Amino acid sequence: MTHEVFNQPPPLIGFDVAADAALTAALEREGAGWAAGDLHEIGLRAGSEEALRWAGEANRHEPRLLTHDRYGHRIDEVDFHPSWHHLMQVAVEKGLAGAAWADPRPGAHVARAAAFFTWSQTEAGHGCPISMTYAVIPALRDNPELAAVYEPLLTSRSYDPGLRTPATKSGLLAGMGMTEKQGGSDVRANTTTATFSNGQWLLTGHKWFTSAPMCDVFLVLAQAPGGLSCFLVPRVLPDGTRNPFRIQRLKDKLGNRSNASSEPEFDNTVAWLVGGEGQGVRTIIEMVSMTRLDCVIGSASGMRAALVQAIHHARHRSAFGGPLIGKPAMSNVLADLALESEAATVLAMRLAGSVDRAVRGDAAEQAFRRLAIPVGKFWVCKRQPAVVGEALECLGGNGYVEESGLPRLYRDAPLNSIWEGSGNVQALDALRAIQRSPESLDAFFAEVGADPRLDPAVRELKDQFKDQDDWEVRARRLIERMAVVLQASLLLRHSPAPVADAFCASRLDGNWGHTFGTLPPGTDTAAIVERAAP
């Protein structure tokens, strides 16, 4: 034995991931306090050694494409490691997929958001099919006959993997196929065609980035005679035959390695029209809006996961004569990261609350969510890579090795800003919402309210919206400012003074540098870090 190992932090396992003051307060505030017990149950599961092992295994043993069986029959299946299925089973059984749509209790979508935020800190990749299954319900309801068949199975808490006739399964998962090689986010440039023949719709074409191809059903955009339309495509038809869904390859992605993303081709693939012919974007945008919400929740979750690792390391590591967490420079960094994390968490939960109330008929919340979701998606998802990178640096070399889990968080960090519309798409969508639905901007300003610490920023924002001549040039600046003002408003109303005051001083008043760890002197960094500590 050459030396004794000391001054290394213990493994961060066996803790309640949901023991998060900002999260639990928001759960109560947004109307789902009744779900606190279930939330802490999944929090303990998320922090367990078993769940963390599943996360590592699901990413080390990546999904494999099986195009044919041993006899040469086309099967187009993807094989996942058992740990992927364990993660999926917990998510579905705990109601993170479609179950909230079948729960009549006020706050059901808030409870689901909090659980999704918590469980995603363990492993984010499997959240993709979970999120799409949650998001498909409101779009599918544009065809009541299809909804009557599929919704009970999509809202089930039974995880039933494998390609079989949907009606024979105890639960279903859903995906979407929107983008193509030539268009990307410009889905109106799609070339996949839909032809009505012998009483059914047949699709021919391709999709460029279709994730979770082992889902049971997909919403797909295709050009029908009446224009771009939305269709439901099952992997297996009601008679038990395989619907043509030719997976050409799986994407070799930067991150999100546990989750399969594919390039399928359709060759007279049977489909059912959802919504009106020519109304494809209007129909599928209901699904996209919900997946955008989950992008915000997922990025807030990823920030929280990285922050917890950084604080845990600093608590148990000594350097230069004392505990790392007590060093002023490190305390400033951790507090700055904690501000960003809490601001993202309260905004994500506020958006979940607006969805919950909007689907129950609240017109004001419907107007607010129409604008606030793209605003939140633009900003929170863009903050995640910077937060995770800084948190990784807090661990130094210990954070740069795979065993720490932080490299996986770092590779995953840019994803949510790209999926469901990148930054420019979100910013321009928010501006379109204001132009088409001016009540959404009214709802936004009603939400931020009146507070002396916010008044100058709110006045400045209102002035910016008076001139629409060069909106596209200013789009990112406008939407970024809206997001920060909204976050500041939420923190001022709902978070302790050290958090709210430091956020406003740095993000609103500009007493801040260009990197984390530049909070102004006098900030109560110790109180901020202690509130955020696991």
Side-chain angles (χ1 to χ4, degrees):
M1 180 172 170
T2 60
H3 64 285
E4 177 187 355
V5 177
F6 66 98
N7 196 27
Q8 289 280 7
L12 182 56
I13 56 175
F15 72 106
D16 181 1
V17 174
D20 173 349
L23 177 68
T24 53
L27 183 78
E28 181 73 35
R29 183 170 65 247
E30 297 295 341
W34 49 264
D38 290 339
L39 179 63
H40 288 292
E41 181 180 326
I42 199 171
L44 289 168
R45 193 76 178 271
S48 69
E49 184 174 7
E50 179 183 51
L52 295 172
R53 174 171 54 79
W54 292 342
E57 290 174 347
N59 282 272
R60 285 193 300 274
H61 304 282
E62 297 179 12
R64 296 185 305 122
L65 173 61
L66 307 174
T67 56
H68 296 78
D69 68 13
R70 60 178 291 198
Y71 303 106
H73 302 118
R74 188 95 198 198
I75 58 173
D76 295 290
E77 296 187 4
V78 178
D79 181 52
F80 291 89
H81 189 272
S83 286
W84 164 272
H85 294 293
H86 293 319
L87 292 163
M88 289 289 294
Q89 183 172 358
V90 172
V92 174
E93 289 180 351
K94 294 298 182 183
L96 277 59
W101 297 100
D103 190 337
R105 291 175 292 182
H109 294 271
V110 175
R112 181 260 170 195
F116 186 76
F117 173 94
T118 299
W119 186 240
S120 294
Q121 291 179 51
T122 300
E123 203 283 321
H126 76 290
C128 176
I130 295 299
S131 175
M132 292 191 292
T133 303
Y134 169 70
V136 75
I137 302 297
L140 186 62
R141 287 176 175 174
D142 272 2
N143 185 321
E145 292 181 1
L146 288 177
V149 173
Y150 289 103
E151 186 171 329
L153 295 169
L154 291 164
T155 58
S156 168
R157 289 179 180 243
S158 174
Y159 177 57
D160 190 359
L163 298 180
R164 302 191 304 281
T165 305
T168 68
K169 300 184 70 174
S170 60
L172 301 179
L173 297 173
M176 70 166 78
M178 295 177 62
T179 61
E180 298 180 4
K181 294 182 179 75
Q182 72 284 346
S185 295
D186 184 8
V187 295
R188 295 189 185 278
N190 284 6
T191 60
T192 296
T193 60
T195 304
F196 196 72
S197 176
N198 297 322
Q200 63 184 1
W201 288 98
L202 301 175
L203 307 188
T204 301
H206 80 285
K207 295 299 168 184
W208 184 229
F209 218 117
T210 297
S211 290
M214 287 299 286
C215 286
D216 300 283
V217 295
F218 292 81
L219 286 192
V220 173
L221 292 179
Q223 299 285 1
L228 189 66
S229 305
C230 181
F231 295 89
L232 180 77
V233 174
R235 288 294 316 266
V236 180
L237 295 171
D239 64 2
T241 59
R242 296 285 179 100
N243 207 9
F245 194 98
R246 311 296 190 218
I247 302 175
Q248 302 306 300
R249 62 173 176 171
L250 300 183
K251 298 287 193 182
D252 187 7
K253 298 173 292 186
L254 167 67
N256 194 246
R257 306 289 293 191
S258 67
N259 177 39
S261 298
S262 69
E263 298 172 18
E265 291 186 357
F266 308 124
D267 185 6
N268 285 327
T269 301
V270 178
W272 282 263
L273 184 66
V274 179
E277 189 176 344
Q279 300 298 312
V281 173
R282 180 178 296 178
T283 300
I284 208 168
I285 200 66
E286 289 296 324
M287 183 175 187
V288 171
S289 180
M290 294 298 96
T291 52
R292 286 176 175 177
L293 168 66
D294 275 4
C295 285
V296 180
I297 298 169
S299 284
S301 173
M303 290 189 222
R304 173 67 185 172
L307 171 67
V308 164
Q309 292 283 353
I311 295 176
H312 176 75
H313 178 85
R315 269 180 160 180
H316 295 278
R317 183 82 161 176
S318 293
F320 309 110
L324 193 55
I325 200 168
K327 302 297 181 182
M330 178 57 77
S331 182
N332 198 316
V333 170
L334 294 173
D336 217 350
L337 293 173
L339 293 180
E340 202 71 40
S341 174
E342 181 157 345
T345 299
V346 297
L347 177 52
M349 293 297 288
R350 176 65 184 91
L351 296 178
S354 74
V355 167
D356 191 85
R357 290 182 283 277
V359 300
R360 300 176 201 284
D362 189 320
E365 291 285 6
Q366 172 63 23
F368 173 73
R369 77 157 185 169
R370 173 65 186 90
L371 177 57
I373 286 179
V375 167
K377 204 272 193 186
F378 171 84
W379 183 241
V380 172
C381 296
K382 285 202 170 299
R383 301 305 291 156
Q384 186 183 1
V387 168
V388 175
E390 192 69 56
L392 187 155
E393 187 177 322
C394 290
L395 276 70
N398 283 354
Y400 202 67
V401 295
E402 285 293 334
E403 294 95 328
S404 73
L406 280 162
R408 186 174 76 241
L409 287 175
Y410 192 64
R411 289 191 297 270
D412 286 348
L415 179 63
N416 286 324
S417 193
I418 297 170
W419 279 4
E420 313 310 332
S422 58
N424 285 344
V425 172
Q426 299 307 310
L428 295 174
D429 185 49
L431 294 184
R432 277 193 297 272
I434 293 169
Q435 290 174 318
R436 294 175 180 176
S437 305
E439 67 274 12
S440 65
L441 188 60
D442 295 336
F444 173 85
F445 283 120
E447 171 69 22
V448 297
D451 187 293
R453 291 163 291 185
L454 273 179
D455 286 347
V458 171
R459 284 197 299 270
E460 177 194 4
L461 258 182
K462 289 182 175 179
D463 288 342
Q464 290 290 319
F465 282 113
K466 292 177 181 177
D467 180 10
Q468 300 184 13
D469 289 343
D470 55 354
W471 262 22
E472 190 164 335
V473 175
R474 295 184 290 125
R476 284 186 171 224
R477 183 185 291 263
L478 281 168
I479 303 310
E480 174 183 317
R481 195 60 172 172
M482 289 182 74
V484 173
V485 167
L486 179 54
Q487 287 179 321
S489 171
L490 291 166
L491 294 175
L492 284 167
R493 284 177 281 159
H494 307 305
S495 296
V499 173
D501 292 345
F503 187 90
C504 290
S506 56
R507 275 67 169 174
L508 281 185
D509 299 340
N511 193 356
W512 197 35
H514 294 288
T515 61
F516 290 109
T518 55
L519 295 173
T523 300
D524 192 349
T525 57
I528 296 170
V529 173
E530 183 58 32
R531 172 175 168 80

